[in-house]
PDB file of all heavy atoms in Angstrom:
ATOM      1  N   THR A 185       0.858  -1.183   0.000  1.00 97.00           N
ATOM      2  CA  THR A 185       0.000   0.000   0.000  1.00 97.00           C
ATOM      3  C   THR A 185       0.894   1.232   0.000  1.00 97.00           C
ATOM      4  O   THR A 185       1.741   1.390   0.888  1.00 97.00           O
ATOM      5  CB  THR A 185      -0.921   0.029   1.233  1.00 97.00           C
ATOM      6  OG1 THR A 185      -1.721  -1.147   1.259  1.00 97.00           O
ATOM      7  CG2 THR A 185      -1.828   1.260   1.191  1.00 97.00           C
ATOM      8  N   GLN A 186       0.712   2.100  -0.991  1.00 95.00           N
ATOM      9  CA  GLN A 186       1.538   3.301  -1.102  1.00 95.00           C
ATOM     10  C   GLN A 186       1.049   4.337  -0.101  1.00 95.00           C
ATOM     11  O   GLN A 186      -0.129   4.716  -0.089  1.00 95.00           O
ATOM     12  CB  GLN A 186       1.445   3.857  -2.519  1.00 95.00           C
ATOM     13  CG  GLN A 186       2.555   4.806  -2.872  1.00 95.00           C
ATOM     14  CD  GLN A 186       3.807   4.088  -3.347  1.00 95.00           C
ATOM     15  OE1 GLN A 186       3.711   3.136  -4.102  1.00 95.00           O
ATOM     16  NE2 GLN A 186       4.962   4.563  -2.920  1.00 95.00           N
ATOM     17  N   LEU A 187       1.939   4.808   0.773  1.00 97.00           N
ATOM     18  CA  LEU A 187       1.598   5.838   1.747  1.00 97.00           C
ATOM     19  C   LEU A 187       2.112   7.209   1.332  1.00 97.00           C
ATOM     20  O   LEU A 187       1.498   8.227   1.654  1.00 97.00           O
ATOM     21  CB  LEU A 187       2.158   5.458   3.125  1.00 97.00           C
ATOM     22  CG  LEU A 187       1.701   4.100   3.680  1.00 97.00           C
ATOM     23  CD1 LEU A 187       2.372   3.826   5.013  1.00 97.00           C
ATOM     24  CD2 LEU A 187       0.187   4.048   3.809  1.00 97.00           C
ATOM     25  N   SER A 188       3.248   7.235   0.664  1.00 96.00           N
ATOM     26  CA  SER A 188       3.833   8.463   0.128  1.00 96.00           C
ATOM     27  C   SER A 188       4.850   8.032  -0.917  1.00 96.00           C
ATOM     28  O   SER A 188       5.108   6.836  -1.081  1.00 96.00           O
ATOM     29  CB  SER A 188       4.495   9.288   1.245  1.00 96.00           C
ATOM     30  OG  SER A 188       5.740   8.722   1.607  1.00 96.00           O
ATOM     31  N   PRO A 189       5.484   8.957  -1.634  1.00 96.00           N
ATOM     32  CA  PRO A 189       6.454   8.549  -2.651  1.00 96.00           C
ATOM     33  C   PRO A 189       7.634   7.738  -2.119  1.00 96.00           C
ATOM     34  O   PRO A 189       8.283   7.023  -2.877  1.00 96.00           O
ATOM     35  CB  PRO A 189       6.917   9.884  -3.248  1.00 96.00           C
ATOM     36  CG  PRO A 189       5.744  10.783  -3.073  1.00 96.00           C
ATOM     37  CD  PRO A 189       5.170  10.393  -1.745  1.00 96.00           C
ATOM     38  N   THR A 190       7.922   7.846  -0.826  1.00 97.00           N
ATOM     39  CA  THR A 190       9.057   7.096  -0.271  1.00 97.00           C
ATOM     40  C   THR A 190       8.658   6.251   0.938  1.00 97.00           C
ATOM     41  O   THR A 190       9.511   5.814   1.710  1.00 97.00           O
ATOM     42  CB  THR A 190      10.195   8.049   0.146  1.00 97.00           C
ATOM     43  OG1 THR A 190       9.677   9.007   1.085  1.00 97.00           O
ATOM     44  CG2 THR A 190      10.783   8.761  -1.064  1.00 97.00           C
ATOM     45  N   ARG A 191       7.366   5.979   1.078  1.00 98.00           N
ATOM     46  CA  ARG A 191       6.886   5.238   2.248  1.00 98.00           C
ATOM     47  C   ARG A 191       5.804   4.244   1.810  1.00 98.00           C
ATOM     48  O   ARG A 191       4.849   4.632   1.117  1.00 98.00           O
ATOM     49  CB  ARG A 191       6.339   6.210   3.302  1.00 98.00           C
ATOM     50  CG  ARG A 191       6.074   5.595   4.673  1.00 98.00           C
ATOM     51  CD  ARG A 191       5.697   6.702   5.649  1.00 98.00           C
ATOM     52  NE  ARG A 191       5.257   6.212   6.944  1.00 98.00           N
ATOM     53  CZ  ARG A 191       6.056   5.994   7.977  1.00 98.00           C
ATOM     54  NH1 ARG A 191       7.353   6.211   7.857  1.00 98.00           N
ATOM     55  NH2 ARG A 191       5.568   5.567   9.129  1.00 98.00           N
ATOM     56  N   ILE A 192       5.955   2.982   2.232  1.00 98.00           N
ATOM     57  CA  ILE A 192       5.068   1.895   1.809  1.00 98.00           C
ATOM     58  C   ILE A 192       4.686   1.057   3.021  1.00 98.00           C
ATOM     59  O   ILE A 192       5.499   0.875   3.942  1.00 98.00           O
ATOM     60  CB  ILE A 192       5.778   0.997   0.762  1.00 98.00           C
ATOM     61  CG1 ILE A 192       5.910   1.713  -0.563  1.00 98.00           C
ATOM     62  CG2 ILE A 192       5.050  -0.330   0.561  1.00 98.00           C
ATOM     63  CD1 ILE A 192       6.750   0.956  -1.570  1.00 98.00           C
ATOM     64  N   ARG A 193       3.454   0.538   3.007  1.00 98.00           N
ATOM     65  CA  ARG A 193       3.049  -0.442   4.012  1.00 98.00           C
ATOM     66  C   ARG A 193       3.019  -1.826   3.361  1.00 98.00           C
ATOM     67  O   ARG A 193       2.384  -2.016   2.328  1.00 98.00           O
ATOM     68  CB  ARG A 193       1.676  -0.116   4.602  1.00 98.00           C
ATOM     69  CG  ARG A 193       1.266  -1.126   5.692  1.00 98.00           C
ATOM     70  CD  ARG A 193       0.024  -0.686   6.456  1.00 98.00           C
ATOM     71  NE  ARG A 193      -1.144  -0.629   5.602  1.00 98.00           N
ATOM     72  CZ  ARG A 193      -1.911   0.446   5.457  1.00 98.00           C
ATOM     73  NH1 ARG A 193      -1.616   1.567   6.082  1.00 98.00           N
ATOM     74  NH2 ARG A 193      -2.973   0.420   4.677  1.00 98.00           N
ATOM     75  N   LEU A 194       3.722  -2.777   3.959  1.00 98.00           N
ATOM     76  CA  LEU A 194       3.760  -4.161   3.489  1.00 98.00           C
ATOM     77  C   LEU A 194       2.949  -4.991   4.465  1.00 98.00           C
ATOM     78  O   LEU A 194       3.338  -5.185   5.623  1.00 98.00           O
ATOM     79  CB  LEU A 194       5.209  -4.656   3.433  1.00 98.00           C
ATOM     80  CG  LEU A 194       5.460  -6.072   2.922  1.00 98.00           C
ATOM     81  CD1 LEU A 194       5.083  -6.185   1.449  1.00 98.00           C
ATOM     82  CD2 LEU A 194       6.929  -6.462   3.126  1.00 98.00           C
ATOM     83  N   THR A 195       1.792  -5.488   4.014  1.00 97.00           N
ATOM     84  CA  THR A 195       0.842  -6.191   4.871  1.00 97.00           C
ATOM     85  C   THR A 195       0.853  -7.681   4.571  1.00 97.00           C
ATOM     86  O   THR A 195       0.820  -8.087   3.410  1.00 97.00           O
ATOM     87  CB  THR A 195      -0.576  -5.637   4.668  1.00 97.00           C
ATOM     88  OG1 THR A 195      -0.583  -4.232   4.908  1.00 97.00           O
ATOM     89  CG2 THR A 195      -1.562  -6.314   5.607  1.00 97.00           C
ATOM     90  N   THR A 196       0.898  -8.495   5.627  1.00 95.00           N
ATOM     91  CA  THR A 196       0.924  -9.950   5.484  1.00 95.00           C
ATOM     92  C   THR A 196      -0.357 -10.553   6.033  1.00 95.00           C
ATOM     93  O   THR A 196      -0.822 -10.185   7.113  1.00 95.00           O
ATOM     94  CB  THR A 196       2.118 -10.559   6.246  1.00 95.00           C
ATOM     95  OG1 THR A 196       3.318  -9.956   5.786  1.00 95.00           O
ATOM     96  CG2 THR A 196       2.197 -12.069   6.033  1.00 95.00           C
ATOM     97  N   CYS A 197      -0.934 -11.487   5.264  1.00 93.00           N
ATOM     98  CA  CYS A 197      -2.089 -12.232   5.751  1.00 93.00           C
ATOM     99  C   CYS A 197      -1.976 -13.681   5.291  1.00 93.00           C
ATOM    100  O   CYS A 197      -1.213 -14.007   4.375  1.00 93.00           O
ATOM    101  CB  CYS A 197      -3.409 -11.614   5.289  1.00 93.00           C
ATOM    102  SG  CYS A 197      -3.668 -11.657   3.500  1.00 93.00           S
ATOM    103  N   GLU A 198      -2.733 -14.567   5.934  1.00 91.00           N
ATOM    104  CA  GLU A 198      -2.703 -15.996   5.613  1.00 91.00           C
ATOM    105  C   GLU A 198      -4.024 -16.410   4.977  1.00 91.00           C
ATOM    106  O   GLU A 198      -5.092 -16.151   5.522  1.00 91.00           O
ATOM    107  CB  GLU A 198      -2.447 -16.830   6.868  1.00 91.00           C
ATOM    108  CG  GLU A 198      -2.354 -18.321   6.599  1.00 91.00           C
ATOM    109  CD  GLU A 198      -2.055 -19.132   7.843  1.00 91.00           C
ATOM    110  OE1 GLU A 198      -2.050 -18.544   8.942  1.00 91.00           O
ATOM    111  OE2 GLU A 198      -1.836 -20.349   7.717  1.00 91.00           O
ATOM    112  N   VAL A 199      -3.928 -17.041   3.816  1.00 90.00           N
ATOM    113  CA  VAL A 199      -5.099 -17.522   3.093  1.00 90.00           C
ATOM    114  C   VAL A 199      -5.170 -19.038   3.255  1.00 90.00           C
ATOM    115  O   VAL A 199      -4.315 -19.756   2.725  1.00 90.00           O
ATOM    116  CB  VAL A 199      -5.021 -17.163   1.597  1.00 90.00           C
ATOM    117  CG1 VAL A 199      -6.258 -17.674   0.859  1.00 90.00           C
ATOM    118  CG2 VAL A 199      -4.871 -15.656   1.408  1.00 90.00           C
ATOM    119  N   PRO A 200      -6.171 -19.567   3.985  1.00 86.00           N
ATOM    120  CA  PRO A 200      -6.247 -21.022   4.159  1.00 86.00           C
ATOM    121  C   PRO A 200      -6.661 -21.721   2.871  1.00 86.00           C
ATOM    122  O   PRO A 200      -7.384 -21.150   2.049  1.00 86.00           O
ATOM    123  CB  PRO A 200      -7.307 -21.187   5.250  1.00 86.00           C
ATOM    124  CG  PRO A 200      -8.112 -19.937   5.207  1.00 86.00           C
ATOM    125  CD  PRO A 200      -7.202 -18.850   4.722  1.00 86.00           C
ATOM    126  N   ALA A 201      -6.200 -22.951   2.695  1.00 78.00           N
ATOM    127  CA  ALA A 201      -6.508 -23.692   1.475  1.00 78.00           C
ATOM    128  C   ALA A 201      -8.005 -23.964   1.348  1.00 78.00           C
ATOM    129  O   ALA A 201      -8.542 -24.030   0.244  1.00 78.00           O
ATOM    130  CB  ALA A 201      -5.720 -25.001   1.460  1.00 78.00           C
ATOM    131  N   LYS A 202      -8.698 -24.122   2.466  1.00 75.00           N
ATOM    132  CA  LYS A 202     -10.110 -24.488   2.429  1.00 75.00           C
ATOM    133  C   LYS A 202     -11.027 -23.296   2.172  1.00 75.00           C
ATOM    134  O   LYS A 202     -12.215 -23.479   1.897  1.00 75.00           O
ATOM    135  CB  LYS A 202     -10.491 -25.166   3.748  1.00 75.00           C
ATOM    136  CG  LYS A 202      -9.774 -26.498   3.980  1.00 75.00           C
ATOM    137  CD  LYS A 202     -10.187 -27.133   5.286  1.00 75.00           C
ATOM    138  CE  LYS A 202      -9.477 -28.452   5.513  1.00 75.00           C
ATOM    139  NZ  LYS A 202      -9.862 -29.075   6.807  1.00 75.00           N
ATOM    140  N   ASP A 203     -10.487 -22.086   2.275  1.00 73.00           N
ATOM    141  CA  ASP A 203     -11.323 -20.910   2.053  1.00 73.00           C
ATOM    142  C   ASP A 203     -10.444 -19.792   1.509  1.00 73.00           C
ATOM    143  O   ASP A 203      -9.926 -18.963   2.254  1.00 73.00           O
ATOM    144  CB  ASP A 203     -12.007 -20.471   3.344  1.00 73.00           C
ATOM    145  CG  ASP A 203     -13.041 -19.372   3.109  1.00 73.00           C
ATOM    146  OD1 ASP A 203     -13.144 -18.896   1.960  1.00 73.00           O
ATOM    147  OD2 ASP A 203     -13.735 -18.995   4.064  1.00 73.00           O
ATOM    148  N   SER A 204     -10.275 -19.778   0.193  1.00 71.00           N
ATOM    149  CA  SER A 204      -9.366 -18.821  -0.430  1.00 71.00           C
ATOM    150  C   SER A 204      -9.886 -17.388  -0.370  1.00 71.00           C
ATOM    151  O   SER A 204      -9.163 -16.452  -0.714  1.00 71.00           O
ATOM    152  CB  SER A 204      -9.123 -19.209  -1.891  1.00 71.00           C
ATOM    153  OG  SER A 204     -10.350 -19.216  -2.612  1.00 71.00           O
ATOM    154  N   LYS A 205     -11.140 -17.189   0.061  1.00 78.00           N
ATOM    155  CA  LYS A 205     -11.688 -15.841   0.159  1.00 78.00           C
ATOM    156  C   LYS A 205     -11.302 -15.164   1.469  1.00 78.00           C
ATOM    157  O   LYS A 205     -11.487 -13.958   1.617  1.00 78.00           O
ATOM    158  CB  LYS A 205     -13.204 -15.878   0.006  1.00 78.00           C
ATOM    159  CG  LYS A 205     -13.676 -16.338  -1.375  1.00 78.00           C
ATOM    160  CD  LYS A 205     -15.193 -16.314  -1.474  1.00 78.00           C
ATOM    161  CE  LYS A 205     -15.651 -16.777  -2.859  1.00 78.00           C
ATOM    162  NZ  LYS A 205     -17.134 -16.756  -2.971  1.00 78.00           N
ATOM    163  N   GLN A 206     -10.815 -15.940   2.427  1.00 85.00           N
ATOM    164  CA  GLN A 206     -10.388 -15.375   3.695  1.00 85.00           C
ATOM    165  C   GLN A 206      -8.913 -15.025   3.646  1.00 85.00           C
ATOM    166  O   GLN A 206      -8.138 -15.646   2.934  1.00 85.00           O
ATOM    167  CB  GLN A 206     -10.622 -16.365   4.848  1.00 85.00           C
ATOM    168  CG  GLN A 206     -12.072 -16.595   5.187  1.00 85.00           C
ATOM    169  CD  GLN A 206     -12.221 -17.414   6.466  1.00 85.00           C
ATOM    170  OE1 GLN A 206     -11.259 -17.615   7.198  1.00 85.00           O
ATOM    171  NE2 GLN A 206     -13.429 -17.894   6.722  1.00 85.00           N
ATOM    172  N   CYS A 207      -8.538 -14.017   4.411  1.00 89.00           N
ATOM    173  CA  CYS A 207      -7.131 -13.644   4.525  1.00 89.00           C
ATOM    174  C   CYS A 207      -6.904 -13.183   5.968  1.00 89.00           C
ATOM    175  O   CYS A 207      -7.193 -12.038   6.322  1.00 89.00           O
ATOM    176  CB  CYS A 207      -6.775 -12.545   3.526  1.00 89.00           C
ATOM    177  SG  CYS A 207      -5.020 -12.497   3.106  1.00 89.00           S
ATOM    178  N   LYS A 208      -6.418 -14.089   6.790  1.00 90.00           N
ATOM    179  CA  LYS A 208      -6.227 -13.822   8.216  1.00 90.00           C
ATOM    180  C   LYS A 208      -5.046 -12.885   8.420  1.00 90.00           C
ATOM    181  O   LYS A 208      -3.919 -13.208   8.048  1.00 90.00           O
ATOM    182  CB  LYS A 208      -5.991 -15.132   8.953  1.00 90.00           C
ATOM    183  CG  LYS A 208      -5.690 -14.966  10.433  1.00 90.00           C
ATOM    184  CD  LYS A 208      -5.344 -16.300  11.063  1.00 90.00           C
ATOM    185  CE  LYS A 208      -4.906 -16.123  12.517  1.00 90.00           C
ATOM    186  NZ  LYS A 208      -4.512 -17.425  13.109  1.00 90.00           N
TER     187      LYS A 208
END
């Protein structure tokens, strides 16, 4: 996610195999 020209947010989530629509 771009926050500014020199600043970014890197977000991690887990997608289970049984429900690819979820991202914990």
Side-chain angles (χ1 to χ4, degrees):
T185 302
Q186 198 84 42
L187 303 178
S188 77
T190 57
R191 192 173 173 90
I192 288 173
R193 182 170 64 235
L194 182 66
T195 304
T196 304
C197 65
E198 182 178 7
V199 180
K202 295 180 180 179
D203 188 355
S204 60
K205 295 182 180 180
Q206 290 189 12
C207 204
K208 176 185 174 183

